[in-house]
Protein backbone atom coordinates (compact mmCIF):
# COMPACT_ATOMS: atom_id res chain seq x y z
CA UNK A 1 0.00 0.00 0.00
CA UNK A 2 3.06 2.28 -0.08
CA UNK A 3 2.06 3.56 -3.53
CA UNK A 4 -0.92 5.46 -2.03
CA UNK A 5 -0.60 8.68 -0.05
CA UNK A 6 -2.31 8.47 3.37
CA UNK A 7 -5.28 10.70 4.24
CA UNK A 8 -5.35 11.37 7.95
CA UNK A 9 -9.10 11.38 8.37
CA UNK A 10 -11.11 8.88 10.38
CA UNK A 11 -14.72 8.59 11.46
CA UNK A 12 -13.98 6.18 14.30
CA UNK A 13 -14.55 8.79 16.98
CA UNK A 14 -18.00 9.42 15.51
CA UNK A 15 -18.98 5.77 15.05
CA UNK A 16 -20.46 5.32 18.51
CA UNK A 17 -22.75 8.32 18.06
CA UNK A 18 -23.80 7.55 14.49
CA UNK A 19 -26.91 5.36 14.04
CA UNK A 20 -26.65 2.42 11.70
CA UNK A 21 -27.65 3.27 8.14
CA UNK A 22 -29.94 1.05 6.07
CA UNK A 23 -26.86 -0.40 4.34
CA UNK A 24 -25.24 -1.31 7.64
CA UNK A 25 -28.44 -2.71 9.13
CA UNK A 26 -29.33 -4.69 6.02
CA UNK A 27 -25.90 -6.14 5.34
CA UNK A 28 -25.28 -7.09 8.96
CA UNK A 29 -28.72 -8.70 9.16
CA UNK A 30 -28.35 -10.78 5.99
CA UNK A 31 -24.78 -11.77 6.93
CA UNK A 32 -26.03 -12.96 10.30
CA UNK A 33 -28.84 -15.00 8.74
CA UNK A 34 -26.55 -16.63 6.17
CA UNK A 35 -23.89 -17.60 8.69
CA UNK A 36 -26.51 -18.77 11.18
CA UNK A 37 -27.69 -21.19 8.50
CA UNK A 38 -24.16 -22.21 7.46
CA UNK A 39 -23.08 -22.98 11.02
CA UNK A 40 -25.83 -25.61 11.31
CA UNK A 41 -25.20 -27.14 7.87
CA UNK A 42 -21.43 -27.40 8.43
CA UNK A 43 -21.90 -28.84 11.93
CA UNK A 44 -23.80 -31.76 10.38
CA UNK A 45 -21.27 -32.25 7.57
CA UNK A 46 -18.52 -32.58 10.19
CA UNK A 47 -20.33 -35.55 11.73
CA UNK A 48 -19.69 -37.51 8.53
CA UNK A 49 -16.30 -36.48 7.16
CA UNK A 50 -13.32 -38.80 6.94
CA UNK A 51 -10.93 -36.96 4.60
CA UNK A 52 -8.30 -35.00 6.56
CA UNK A 53 -8.05 -32.01 4.20
CA UNK A 54 -11.78 -31.69 3.61
CA UNK A 55 -12.41 -31.92 7.33
CA UNK A 56 -10.00 -29.01 7.90
CA UNK A 57 -11.86 -26.97 5.27
CA UNK A 58 -15.18 -27.66 7.04
CA UNK A 59 -13.68 -26.78 10.44
CA UNK A 60 -12.29 -23.53 9.05
CA UNK A 61 -15.63 -22.66 7.45
CA UNK A 62 -17.52 -23.38 10.67
CA UNK A 63 -15.01 -21.38 12.74
CA UNK A 64 -15.48 -18.37 10.43
CA UNK A 65 -19.28 -18.60 10.57
CA UNK A 66 -19.24 -18.67 14.38
CA UNK A 67 -16.72 -15.83 14.51
CA UNK A 68 -18.80 -13.64 12.17
CA UNK A 69 -21.94 -14.36 14.21
CA UNK A 70 -20.20 -13.39 17.44
CA UNK A 71 -18.83 -10.16 15.97
CA UNK A 72 -22.21 -9.15 14.54
CA UNK A 73 -23.96 -9.91 17.83
CA UNK A 74 -21.47 -7.61 19.59
CA UNK A 75 -22.19 -4.79 17.14
CA UNK A 76 -25.97 -5.21 17.32
CA UNK A 77 -26.00 -5.33 21.13
CA UNK A 78 -24.06 -2.06 21.31
CA UNK A 79 -26.67 -0.52 19.00
CA UNK A 80 -29.65 -1.95 20.97
CA UNK A 81 -30.62 -3.76 17.77
CA UNK A 82 -32.53 -7.06 18.24
CA UNK A 83 -30.49 -10.15 17.43
CA UNK A 84 -32.12 -12.09 14.54
CA UNK A 85 -33.56 -15.48 15.43
CA UNK A 86 -31.88 -17.21 12.50
CA UNK A 87 -31.31 -20.94 12.92
CA UNK A 88 -30.41 -23.15 15.86
CA UNK A 89 -29.63 -26.74 16.84
CA UNK A 90 -33.36 -27.42 16.46
CA UNK A 91 -32.87 -27.14 12.68
CA UNK A 92 -30.30 -29.92 12.41
CA UNK A 93 -30.20 -33.58 13.44
CA UNK A 94 -26.52 -34.34 14.02
CA UNK A 95 -27.36 -38.02 14.49
CA UNK A 96 -28.87 -38.44 11.02
CA UNK A 97 -27.00 -40.78 8.66
CA UNK A 98 -24.67 -39.50 5.96
CA UNK A 99 -26.50 -37.68 3.14
CA UNK A 100 -23.47 -36.54 1.10
CA UNK A 101 -20.00 -37.93 0.38
CA UNK A 102 -16.87 -36.12 1.55
CA UNK A 103 -16.04 -34.81 -1.94
CA UNK A 104 -19.37 -32.98 -2.04
CA UNK A 105 -18.52 -30.97 1.08
CA UNK A 106 -15.61 -29.12 -0.50
CA UNK A 107 -17.74 -28.30 -3.56
CA UNK A 108 -20.53 -27.07 -1.27
CA UNK A 109 -18.34 -24.84 0.87
CA UNK A 110 -16.91 -23.19 -2.26
CA UNK A 111 -20.47 -22.58 -3.46
CA UNK A 112 -21.39 -21.00 -0.09
CA UNK A 113 -18.15 -19.01 0.25
CA UNK A 114 -18.61 -17.45 -3.20
CA UNK A 115 -22.06 -16.27 -2.13
CA UNK A 116 -20.57 -14.85 1.08
CA UNK A 117 -17.73 -12.97 -0.60
CA UNK A 118 -20.20 -11.47 -3.07
CA UNK A 119 -22.25 -10.15 -0.14
CA UNK A 120 -19.25 -8.74 1.76
CA UNK A 121 -17.60 -7.08 -1.25
CA UNK A 122 -20.83 -5.22 -2.12
CA UNK A 123 -21.11 -3.96 1.47
CA UNK A 124 -17.58 -2.47 1.70
CA UNK A 125 -18.00 0.57 -0.61
CA UNK A 126 -21.49 1.37 0.72
CA UNK A 127 -20.81 1.27 4.47
CA UNK A 128 -20.07 4.66 6.06
CA UNK A 129 -19.16 3.67 9.61
CA UNK A 130 -15.53 2.67 9.89
CA UNK A 131 -16.10 -0.06 12.49
CA UNK A 132 -18.73 -1.77 10.31
CA UNK A 133 -16.58 -1.38 7.20
CA UNK A 134 -13.66 -2.99 9.03
CA UNK A 135 -15.87 -5.97 9.85
CA UNK A 136 -16.81 -6.52 6.21
CA UNK A 137 -13.20 -6.08 5.07
CA UNK A 138 -12.24 -8.70 7.67
CA UNK A 139 -15.03 -11.07 6.55
CA UNK A 140 -14.00 -10.58 2.92
CA UNK A 141 -10.33 -11.28 3.63
CA UNK A 142 -11.08 -14.40 5.71
CA UNK A 143 -13.40 -15.80 3.06
CA UNK A 144 -10.81 -15.07 0.38
CA UNK A 145 -8.23 -17.13 2.30
CA UNK A 146 -10.77 -19.94 2.75
CA UNK A 147 -11.51 -19.97 -0.99
CA UNK A 148 -7.78 -20.28 -1.69
CA UNK A 149 -7.61 -23.32 0.59
CA UNK A 150 -10.70 -24.80 -1.07
CA UNK A 151 -9.27 -24.44 -4.59
CA UNK A 152 -5.98 -25.99 -3.48
CA UNK A 153 -7.81 -29.01 -2.07
CA UNK A 154 -9.98 -29.31 -5.20
CA UNK A 155 -6.88 -29.25 -7.42
CA UNK A 156 -4.86 -31.62 -5.23
CA UNK A 157 -7.67 -34.18 -5.12
CA UNK A 158 -8.55 -33.68 -8.82
CA UNK A 159 -12.11 -32.76 -7.94
CA UNK A 160 -12.32 -29.81 -10.32
CA UNK A 161 -12.00 -29.25 -14.05
CA UNK A 162 -9.80 -26.20 -14.63
CA UNK A 163 -11.45 -23.34 -16.52
CA UNK A 164 -11.03 -23.58 -20.32
CA UNK A 165 -7.82 -22.49 -22.03
CA UNK A 166 -8.05 -20.20 -25.07
CA UNK A 167 -5.28 -18.82 -27.34
CA UNK A 168 -3.23 -15.85 -26.14
CA UNK A 169 -3.94 -12.82 -28.41
CA UNK A 170 -1.05 -11.79 -30.64
CA UNK A 171 -1.93 -8.08 -30.39
CA UNK A 172 -4.76 -5.79 -29.18
CA UNK A 173 -7.81 -5.93 -31.43
CA UNK A 174 -10.85 -3.70 -31.94
CA UNK A 175 -14.37 -4.74 -32.90
CA UNK A 176 -15.39 -3.21 -36.25
CA UNK A 177 -18.45 -5.22 -37.27
CA UNK A 178 -21.95 -5.31 -35.81
CA UNK A 179 -22.03 -9.10 -36.21
CA UNK A 180 -20.01 -9.23 -32.96
CA UNK A 181 -23.48 -9.30 -31.31
CA UNK A 182 -24.90 -12.12 -33.48
CA UNK A 183 -26.08 -15.20 -31.64
CA UNK A 184 -28.41 -17.29 -33.81
CA UNK A 185 -27.98 -16.26 -37.46
CA UNK A 186 -25.28 -15.08 -39.77
CA UNK A 187 -21.62 -15.00 -38.81
CA UNK A 188 -21.63 -16.01 -35.12
CA UNK A 189 -18.25 -15.33 -33.50
CA UNK A 190 -16.60 -17.61 -30.93
CA UNK A 191 -17.24 -16.89 -27.24
CA UNK A 192 -14.96 -14.28 -25.71
CA UNK A 193 -13.14 -14.76 -22.39
CA UNK A 194 -15.70 -13.09 -20.11
CA UNK A 195 -18.59 -15.04 -21.62
CA UNK A 196 -16.65 -18.27 -21.05
CA UNK A 197 -15.78 -17.28 -17.45
CA UNK A 198 -19.40 -16.69 -16.48
CA UNK A 199 -20.77 -19.76 -18.27
CA UNK A 200 -18.15 -21.87 -16.45
CA UNK A 201 -18.94 -20.21 -13.09
CA UNK A 202 -22.69 -20.67 -13.52
CA UNK A 203 -22.20 -24.34 -14.40
CA UNK A 204 -20.01 -24.84 -11.31
CA UNK A 205 -22.56 -23.14 -9.06
CA UNK A 206 -25.54 -24.97 -10.52
CA UNK A 207 -24.10 -28.48 -10.39
CA UNK A 208 -23.44 -27.97 -6.67
CA UNK A 209 -26.88 -26.43 -6.19
CA UNK A 210 -28.48 -29.40 -7.96
CA UNK A 211 -26.66 -32.01 -5.84
CA UNK A 212 -27.53 -30.17 -2.62
CA UNK A 213 -31.16 -29.87 -3.73
CA UNK A 214 -31.26 -33.56 -4.62
CA UNK A 215 -30.39 -34.43 -1.01
CA UNK A 216 -33.00 -31.96 0.25
CA UNK A 217 -35.62 -33.42 -2.09
CA UNK A 218 -34.95 -36.93 -0.76
CA UNK A 219 -35.37 -35.89 2.88
CA UNK A 220 -37.92 -33.06 3.02
CA UNK A 221 -41.19 -33.94 4.76
CA UNK A 222 -43.65 -31.28 3.54
CA UNK A 223 -45.19 -32.27 0.20
CA UNK A 224 -45.59 -28.69 -1.02
CA UNK A 225 -41.91 -27.96 -0.39
CA UNK A 226 -41.00 -31.30 -1.99
CA UNK A 227 -42.86 -30.29 -5.17
CA UNK A 228 -41.02 -26.95 -5.20
CA UNK A 229 -37.68 -28.74 -4.81
CA UNK A 230 -38.55 -31.03 -7.74
CA UNK A 231 -39.25 -27.95 -9.83
CA UNK A 232 -35.92 -26.49 -8.73
CA UNK A 233 -34.11 -29.70 -9.71
CA UNK A 234 -35.62 -29.70 -13.20
CA UNK A 235 -34.94 -25.98 -13.67
CA UNK A 236 -31.33 -26.26 -12.52
CA UNK A 237 -30.64 -29.33 -14.65
CA UNK A 238 -32.02 -27.56 -17.72
CA UNK A 239 -29.85 -24.49 -17.08
CA UNK A 240 -26.70 -26.60 -16.63
CA UNK A 241 -27.33 -28.44 -19.91
CA UNK A 242 -27.89 -25.17 -21.79
CA UNK A 243 -24.72 -23.57 -20.36
CA UNK A 244 -22.67 -26.72 -21.07
CA UNK A 245 -23.97 -26.80 -24.65
CA UNK A 246 -22.61 -23.29 -25.29
CA UNK A 247 -19.10 -24.30 -24.17
CA UNK A 248 -19.09 -27.78 -25.73
CA UNK A 249 -20.11 -26.29 -29.08
CA UNK A 250 -16.71 -24.59 -29.05
CA UNK A 251 -14.87 -27.64 -27.69
CA UNK A 252 -14.29 -26.02 -24.31
CA UNK A 253 -14.10 -27.96 -21.04
CA UNK A 254 -16.86 -27.79 -18.42
CA UNK A 255 -17.37 -28.91 -14.81
CA UNK A 256 -19.08 -32.30 -14.38
CA UNK A 257 -22.23 -33.25 -12.48
CA UNK A 258 -21.72 -34.34 -8.86
CA UNK A 259 -25.13 -35.95 -8.24
CA UNK A 260 -23.34 -39.25 -7.53
CA UNK A 261 -22.00 -37.69 -4.31
CA UNK A 262 -25.54 -37.75 -2.81
CA UNK A 263 -26.31 -40.95 -0.87
CA UNK A 264 -29.67 -42.74 -0.97
CA UNK A 265 -30.56 -41.76 2.61
CA UNK A 266 -34.09 -40.44 3.18
CA UNK A 267 -33.54 -39.65 6.87
CA UNK A 268 -33.63 -35.82 7.17
CA UNK A 269 -30.60 -34.18 8.83
CA UNK A 270 -32.14 -30.71 8.39
CA UNK A 271 -35.50 -29.13 9.21
CA UNK A 272 -37.83 -28.25 6.35
CA UNK A 273 -37.46 -24.63 7.43
CA UNK A 274 -33.68 -24.43 6.99
CA UNK A 275 -33.77 -26.37 3.71
CA UNK A 276 -36.41 -24.11 2.19
CA UNK A 277 -34.68 -20.94 3.43
CA UNK A 278 -31.37 -22.22 2.03
CA UNK A 279 -32.73 -22.78 -1.47
CA UNK A 280 -34.70 -19.51 -1.56
CA UNK A 281 -31.55 -17.68 -0.40
CA UNK A 282 -29.19 -19.37 -2.85
CA UNK A 283 -31.58 -19.14 -5.79
CA UNK A 284 -31.76 -15.42 -5.02
CA UNK A 285 -27.96 -15.32 -5.31
CA UNK A 286 -28.29 -16.92 -8.77
CA UNK A 287 -30.19 -13.85 -9.93
CA UNK A 288 -27.19 -11.67 -9.02
CA UNK A 289 -24.82 -14.11 -10.73
CA UNK A 290 -26.88 -14.12 -13.93
CA UNK A 291 -27.10 -10.33 -13.81
CA UNK A 292 -23.29 -10.11 -13.60
CA UNK A 293 -23.08 -12.54 -16.52
CA UNK A 294 -25.44 -10.41 -18.60
CA UNK A 295 -23.37 -7.29 -17.92
CA UNK A 296 -20.25 -8.68 -19.63
CA UNK A 297 -21.97 -10.68 -22.38
CA UNK A 298 -22.04 -9.62 -26.02
CA UNK A 299 -23.97 -12.34 -27.88
CA UNK A 300 -27.75 -12.08 -28.20
CA UNK A 301 -28.38 -15.82 -27.84
CA UNK A 302 -26.59 -15.91 -24.48
CA UNK A 303 -28.35 -12.75 -23.27
CA UNK A 304 -31.72 -14.35 -24.05
CA UNK A 305 -30.68 -17.55 -22.24
CA UNK A 306 -29.74 -15.62 -19.08
CA UNK A 307 -32.89 -13.48 -19.17
CA UNK A 308 -35.14 -16.54 -19.51
CA UNK A 309 -33.28 -18.31 -16.70
CA UNK A 310 -33.51 -15.26 -14.41
CA UNK A 311 -37.28 -15.16 -14.94
CA UNK A 312 -37.67 -18.83 -13.96
CA UNK A 313 -35.43 -18.43 -10.91
CA UNK A 314 -37.37 -15.33 -9.84
CA UNK A 315 -40.64 -17.27 -9.94
CA UNK A 316 -39.08 -20.08 -7.88
CA UNK A 317 -37.87 -17.59 -5.25
CA UNK A 318 -41.29 -15.93 -5.13
CA UNK A 319 -43.10 -19.24 -4.61
CA UNK A 320 -40.56 -20.38 -2.01
CA UNK A 321 -40.92 -17.10 -0.12
CA UNK A 322 -44.70 -17.51 -0.10
CA UNK A 323 -44.36 -20.93 1.55
CA UNK A 324 -41.96 -19.49 4.14
CA UNK A 325 -44.50 -16.75 4.91
CA UNK A 326 -47.45 -19.17 5.06
CA UNK A 327 -45.60 -21.30 7.61
CA UNK A 328 -44.45 -18.32 9.68
CA UNK A 329 -40.78 -19.07 8.94
CA UNK A 330 -39.77 -15.87 7.12
CA UNK A 331 -37.95 -13.46 9.39
CA UNK A 332 -38.30 -9.85 8.26
CA UNK A 333 -35.25 -7.71 7.44
CA UNK A 334 -35.17 -4.20 9.00
CA UNK A 335 -37.81 -2.03 7.31
CA UNK A 336 -38.47 1.67 6.72
CA UNK A 337 -41.04 3.41 8.91
CA UNK A 338 -44.60 2.89 7.66
CA UNK A 339 -45.98 6.45 7.70
CA UNK A 340 -49.44 5.28 6.64
CA UNK A 341 -49.81 3.86 10.18
Amino acid sequence: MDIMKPINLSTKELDASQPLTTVEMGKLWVTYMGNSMSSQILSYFLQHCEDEYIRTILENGLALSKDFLQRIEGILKRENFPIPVGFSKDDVNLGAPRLYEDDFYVQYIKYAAKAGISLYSVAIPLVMREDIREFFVYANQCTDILLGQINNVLMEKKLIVKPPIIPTPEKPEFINKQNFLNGWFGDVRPLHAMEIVHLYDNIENNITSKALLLGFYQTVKDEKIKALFKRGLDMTDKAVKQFIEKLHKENLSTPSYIDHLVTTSTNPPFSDKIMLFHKVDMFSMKIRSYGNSLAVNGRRDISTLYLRTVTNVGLFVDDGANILIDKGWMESPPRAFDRSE
Side-chain angles (χ1 to χ4, degrees):
M1 295 300 178
D2 293 339
I3 62 172
M4 292 193 294
K5 295 178 182 179
I7 296 179
N8 296 318
L9 293 174
S10 174
T11 62
K12 275 195 172 180
E13 66 276 8
L14 298 174
D15 284 348
S17 62
Q18 296 297 313
L20 295 174
T21 66
T22 51
V23 171
E24 291 150 0
M25 280 188 187
K27 289 296 183 179
L28 287 170
W29 185 89
V30 76
T31 300
Y32 188 93
M33 292 294 290
N35 281 283
S36 172
M37 175 187 70
S38 292
S39 64
Q40 303 306 326
I41 302 283
L42 297 180
S43 293
Y44 165 73
F45 287 171
L46 277 165
Q47 301 301 306
H48 301 284
C49 184
E50 298 170 1
D51 184 277
E52 175 187 358
Y53 293 114
I54 296 175
R55 185 172 188 84
T56 300
I57 291 291
L58 292 178
E59 289 171 344
N60 288 346
L62 180 58
L64 285 183
S65 282
K66 289 182 174 180
D67 179 47
F68 295 169
L69 289 172
Q70 187 175 17
R71 289 171 184 266
I72 295 172
E73 284 178 6
I75 293 169
L76 297 183
K77 285 177 181 177
R78 289 195 297 273
E79 300 296 323
N80 294 316
F81 189 103
I83 306 297
V85 174
F87 300 93
S88 68
K89 293 179 180 179
D90 293 336
D91 292 299
V92 61
N93 176 12
L94 298 180
R98 179 191 280 270
L99 184 57
Y100 303 98
E101 301 294 343
D102 283 9
D103 290 352
F104 170 80
Y105 298 149
V106 69
Q107 303 277 7
Y108 169 83
I109 201 166
K110 181 177 182 180
Y111 167 67
K114 284 198 289 186
I117 209 164
S118 173
L119 174 66
Y120 311 144
S121 61
V122 169
I124 291 168
L126 297 175
V127 168
M128 294 293 106
R129 273 183 45 167
E130 203 163 337
D131 58 338
I132 312 297
R133 187 165 61 248
E134 285 178 352
F135 165 74
F136 283 111
V137 168
Y138 168 77
N140 199 68
Q141 290 173 339
C142 291
T143 309
D144 183 50
I145 292 169
L146 180 64
L147 279 165
Q149 294 178 338
I150 291 165
N151 281 335
N152 288 344
V153 170
L154 287 169
M155 291 294 293
E156 174 66 25
K157 299 181 73 62
K158 296 180 173 56
L159 297 175
I160 191 171
V161 175
K162 289 177 66 176
I165 305 295
I166 58 176
T168 302
E170 295 179 1
K171 63 182 187 304
E173 296 181 6
F174 288 86
I175 299 159
N176 51 29
K177 292 183 179 179
Q178 296 296 325
N179 64 11
F180 180 83
L181 305 175
N182 286 356
W184 293 286
F185 310 109
D187 183 15
V188 179
R189 62 165 173 80
L191 296 167
H192 65 55
M194 293 308 295
E195 290 164 343
I196 296 169
V197 166
H198 284 270
L199 283 167
Y200 176 93
D201 184 52
N202 286 317
I203 294 167
E204 186 178 77
N205 291 340
N206 276 286
I207 61 173
T208 305
S209 175
K210 182 173 182 281
L212 178 69
L213 191 51
L214 184 59
F216 286 1
Y217 175 72
Q218 285 177 193
T219 57
V220 69
K221 296 176 182 177
D222 186 279
E223 289 301 320
K224 195 170 184 179
I225 302 174
K226 192 178 186 73
L228 182 73
F229 285 174
K230 179 63 169 66
R231 184 173 132 204
L233 281 169
D234 294 341
M235 182 194 318
T236 303
D237 186 56
K238 182 179 179 180
V240 170
K241 287 175 179 174
Q242 289 174 324
F243 298 152
I244 285 177
E245 182 185 14
K246 295 297 182 185
L247 294 181
H248 280 186
K249 194 170 183 180
E250 310 211 7
N251 302 306
L252 297 172
S253 60
T254 61
S256 302
Y257 282 96
I258 57 173
D259 294 358
H260 62 285
L261 299 178
V262 185
T263 73
T264 57
S265 173
T266 57
N267 194 326
F270 307 116
S271 68
D272 285 5
K273 172 186 172 183
I274 199 171
M275 288 191 286
L276 180 57
F277 176 89
H278 195 320
K279 295 322 297 178
V280 168
D281 184 51
M282 296 306 279
F283 267 64
S284 298
M285 294 301 296
K286 287 184 186 184
I287 296 174
R288 175 182 290 174
S289 178
Y290 295 149
N292 290 339
S293 303
L294 270 167
V296 297
N297 173 68
R299 275 178 33 177
R300 295 188 182 99
D301 59 325
I302 299 175
S303 295
T304 302
L305 173 56
Y306 282 132
L307 287 168
R308 190 164 55 239
T309 309
V310 164
T311 300
N312 292 333
V313 171
L315 292 171
F316 177 95
V317 170
D318 192 58
D319 291 342
N322 280 328
I323 297 174
L324 285 169
I325 292 169
D326 287 344
K327 291 187 172 293
W329 291 344
M330 179 171 274
E331 198 168 343
S332 174
R335 292 184 287 183
F337 183 70
D338 187 348
R339 296 187 182 277
S340 65
E341 294 184 355

